[in-house]
Amino acid sequence: MDHLFNAQLELREMDTLAAADSPVHRLHPLGKLLVTVFYIVVVLSYPKYNTTGLIIMSLYPTLMFQFGNIPIRLCFYRLRFVLPLVCAVGIANPFFDQTPVLYLGTWVLTGGVLSMLTLMLKGVFTLMASFLLIATTPIDTLCAALRKLRIPSMLVTLLLLTYRYIGVMLNEVSVMTQAYKLRAPGQKGIHVSAWGSFLGQLLLRSMDRAEELYDSMRLRGFRGEFYYADAPRCRMADVAFPICCCGALLVARMNDLAAML
């Protein structure tokens, strides 16, 4: 029960965080979206042995977290369940790639270790950039930016409803879990024999709730596309931000700034 309550609380905190006011929050959502996508593409384009060049990519999320008044530790706390999975992607590389790359006395750095570190950094940086976008942009304005890019309305609507329905689903699970505990006092968790019926009831309740939500949407004029929140007016800073960021990222990618330093 406490875990479900904490999950609902964290989801509401993300909405509150996205509605804050800072220089990063005031930027146009389309510019932030384009920079985030470009940053992820640049990070993923690094070769598997270029760990030193990839480290310089940490400057973008670090600076944006500072300008957005968002603690970096909050990012790692919110992504605490995803980061271990991302870091485990290349954990088998040291066993398959044992090509010597660097000799430090008697210690040999192999290509597998280097590629593993590179994959870990790529995963961490891309997750940080994605979290930064969600933490500084409300979901409505983000969907409006996607529509300006001519993303199909069905996909954008699906994204918005999925994000909004997470809270409803957590509330349904919380109610069902509390009802189960009242019927089985003193039992820790849900017994294995009740998993099937529990998931079945959750599915039926979700379908009923989805029908109610769809009927209310139709009554409010929904005909296949939402009227998203209007994106803010484009200013000179909104134009300069993606140009400068993409240019700086491109320069950092084409030149090994870490080696120069």
Side-chain angles (χ1 to χ4, degrees), residues 70-220:
I70 301 175
I72 296 182
R73 66 179 181 275
L74 180 63
C75 171
F76 290 107
Y77 178 75
R78 291 287 186 268
L79 301 174
R80 61 190 181 278
F81 298 114
V82 184
L83 285 174
L85 299 177
V86 171
C87 293
V89 170
I91 200 168
N93 285 22
F95 301 100
F96 294 102
D97 186 1
Q98 298 186 359
T99 304
V101 176
L102 182 64
Y103 292 92
L104 297 175
T106 58
W107 185 71
V108 180
L109 178 65
T110 63
V113 174
L114 202 58
S115 61
M116 180 187 68
L117 294 176
T118 303
L119 283 175
M120 288 181 177
L121 289 176
K122 286 182 178 180
V124 171
F125 291 163
T126 52
L127 285 176
M128 290 176 65
S130 302
F131 177 85
L132 183 65
L133 177 64
I134 298 299
T136 58
T137 312
I139 188 64
D140 295 328
T141 57
L142 183 59
C143 289
L146 290 173
R147 288 297 292 139
K148 288 184 179 297
L149 292 176
R150 297 293 185 263
I151 303 296
S153 61
M154 181 181 297
L155 296 179
V156 179
T157 302
L158 182 62
L159 172 64
L160 178 63
L161 290 179
T162 302
Y163 184 85
R164 293 301 185 194
Y165 198 71
I166 291 175
V168 179
M169 180 70 83
L170 288 175
N171 186 49
E172 292 293 333
V173 175
S174 177
V175 171
M176 291 181 60
T177 304
Q178 185 176 9
Y180 179 86
K181 288 187 175 181
L182 290 175
R183 288 170 173 80
Q187 181 176 311
K188 295 185 63 176
I190 300 174
H191 196 267
V192 178
S193 60
W195 285 4
S197 59
F198 186 89
L199 293 177
Q201 289 294 324
L202 178 61
L203 176 61
L204 294 176
R205 290 171 65 93
S206 300
M207 293 173 62
D208 293 339
R209 192 61 181 270
E211 288 290 341
E212 295 175 359
L213 290 173
Y214 182 70
D215 291 339
S216 64
M217 288 159 52
R218 296 279 293 181
L219 291 174
R220 288 168 173 80

Side-chain angles (χ1 to χ4, degrees), residues 14-26:
M14 287 298 298
D15 292 332
T16 304
L17 194 64
D21 184 30
S22 73
V24 180
H25 287 80
R26 289 192 292 268

